[in-house]
Amino acid sequence: MPFEQIMIRSAEFWKSQNVAMLLGNRVVSIEPASRLIMTDGRETIGYDKLIWATGGTPCHLPSLRSDLRGVHYIRACADVDRLMSELPTARKIAVIGGGFIGLEAAAVFRKIGKEVVLLEALDRVLARVSGEPISRFFEAAHRAHGVDLRFGVRINGLEGDDALRVTGVRLSNGELVEADIVVVGIGILPAVGPLLAAGAEGGKGVRVDAQCRTSLPDVFAVGDCALHANRFADGQVIRLESVQNAHDQATVAAKVIAGRDVKYDCLPWFWSNQYDLKLQTVGISAGFDDLIVEGDPSEASFSVAYTKAGRIIAVDCVNAPRDYVKAHKVVRGNFS
């Protein structure tokens, strides 16, 4: 799909709303006492209120060479443009990481006829976010579409030719997985360095309260980078990397700045499209002690409910939209 068709708003919209889009500017420091930010172009910008909505940067494996062409991290539009420009001449693609990014990328590559090897350090895909029935179902689906899945692998580094073009991934057992393109999808690091350097509370993210305020005066943070206590995770302080969370926290921050007394208390939900499969998730399954499978995975339409101390805390739904709608009510009710 052309980029213009997936933009939330056109450039003309922002102009009509008196929003100045200063693209290509990186904030390198903040002076909260004087309410100033400094960019990498040495420009100083003042603020009355500041919203930090930076998301994160892709994690890099330290063993991977940074001088090779054909190695891609998918985060911004420019990353996808570079990847697409190389696809016509590529035949073999290695995907590092069996999370959502890796699986969705593998599905797209197979649909356009590329040979795909997916390398995962753990013993199953989606191991950090779902139970074994979901993992095994998606593993079977990807194998049925021709993806070569490898688990428990450790990567020593990348190999390249004399033209500094990647030729493969070297595993710790000495095997070389040949590849014309390597896509790395192993998570993100929250982009909060300047905030933490300015004294904001946090660590792997910046800590915010229920109104999305950081510990710095008049500085808010929303989205992937925001650490917050989440009721649907039994009050644990977490980051949520999802469209839902980014939208809902942004709404809260904007309303608070406008003088409304609102708080973030939204039920998390997620989705992933792979081939003709739609996975929809409600709630946070981390810490579950049992699970219940409803429906028949062999028919590619089923759900997995995750329970903790006898109550349903999250539900994964595969091609089961009715279960997904019902799960919203059930999970929310169990935390009321």
Side-chain angles (χ1 to χ4, degrees):
M1 184 179 296
F3 177 67
E4 291 72 23
Q5 292 186 24
I6 63 174
M7 291 178 67
I8 297 174
R9 301 285 188 182
S10 66
E12 289 70 25
F13 170 84
W14 302 111
K15 291 179 182 178
S16 70
Q17 298 298 312
N18 295 321
V19 175
M21 303 286 285
L22 305 182
L23 305 180
N25 287 270
R26 181 177 298 275
V27 173
V28 295
S29 64
I30 300 173
E31 297 178 10
S34 53
R35 287 176 166 74
L36 294 173
I37 61 174
M38 180 74 73
T39 72
D40 54 357
R42 296 188 174 277
E43 181 181 4
T44 300
I45 301 173
Y47 64 87
D48 294 318
K49 309 287 185 182
L50 175 65
I51 300 178
W52 194 265
T54 54
T57 57
C59 293
H60 287 233
L61 286 173
S63 61
L64 300 189
R65 291 173 58 180
S66 60
D67 61 336
L68 294 177
R69 298 191 306 278
V71 181
H72 297 272
Y73 297 83
I74 301 175
R75 188 62 175 169
C77 180
D79 299 328
V80 179
D81 289 342
R82 283 190 293 269
L83 175 59
M84 290 181 64
S85 71
E86 297 178 8
L87 282 176
T89 58
R91 183 169 62 91
K92 298 180 178 180
I93 299 178
V95 177
I96 300 176
F100 288 123
I101 289 291
L103 292 177
E104 291 170 6
V108 171
F109 295 144
R110 283 302 299 143
K111 287 173 71 174
I112 60 175
K114 305 300 180 181
E115 297 180 26
V116 180
V117 177
L118 188 143
L119 307 170
E120 169 56 48
L122 300 180
D123 61 354
R124 58 187 176 93
V125 302
L126 301 175
R128 295 180 179 86
V129 296
S130 68
E132 189 167 343
I134 292 293
S135 298
R136 301 311 181 199
F137 172 80
F138 278 95
E139 289 165 12
H142 279 272
R143 288 192 174 106
H145 282 85
V147 177
D148 181 0
L149 299 176
R150 312 275 188 94
F151 297 116
V153 298
R154 294 292 183 269
I155 295 170
N156 271 4
L158 301 180
E159 301 287 332
D161 57 22
D162 293 339
L164 296 180
R165 178 81 199 177
V166 70
T167 57
V169 181
R170 182 70 66 179
L171 306 184
S172 59
N173 62 5
E175 179 185 359
L176 179 67
V177 177
E178 295 182 356
D180 305 306
I181 287 175
V182 175
V183 174
V184 184
I186 56 173
I188 67 168
L189 295 173
V192 294
L195 284 186
L196 300 184
E201 294 180 6
K204 295 181 179 179
V206 61
R207 182 70 184 264
V208 300
D209 65 13
Q211 293 189 315
C212 298
R213 298 179 186 271
T214 72
S215 60
L216 301 178
D218 294 315
V219 177
F220 299 75
V222 301
D224 292 6
C225 68
L227 279 165
H228 65 283
N230 195 291
R231 177 162 69 98
F232 298 97
D234 287 328
Q236 294 183 70
V237 177
I238 62 174
R239 288 189 307 106
L240 282 178
E241 299 174 10
S242 73
V243 172
Q244 166 268 322
N245 177 62
H247 283 186
D248 290 341
Q249 284 189 326
T251 299
V252 169
K255 288 182 177 180
V256 170
I257 289 172
R260 299 272 297 278
D261 184 18
V262 297
K263 295 182 179 180
Y264 179 83
D265 187 36
C266 301
L267 175 61
W269 52 268
F270 317 85
W271 79 90
S272 177
N273 295 319
Q274 301 168 41
Y275 309 111
D276 58 347
L277 305 171
K278 189 176 190 67
L279 171 63
Q280 296 173 291
T281 298
V282 178
I284 300 170
S285 62
F288 75 93
D289 53 33
D290 200 3
L291 55 79
I292 304 165
V293 178
E294 294 284 348
D296 188 354
S298 67
E299 296 182 359
S301 179
F302 70 104
S303 297
V304 177
Y306 301 91
T307 65
K308 185 177 182 181
R311 61 175 179 158
I312 295 175
I313 60 173
V315 183
D316 284 331
C317 306
V318 178
N319 290 349
R322 291 185 179 179
D323 289 357
Y324 176 67
V325 172
K326 182 180 179 181
H328 272 267
K329 297 179 181 179
V330 172
V331 174
R332 181 174 293 279
N334 286 340
F335 284 90
S336 60

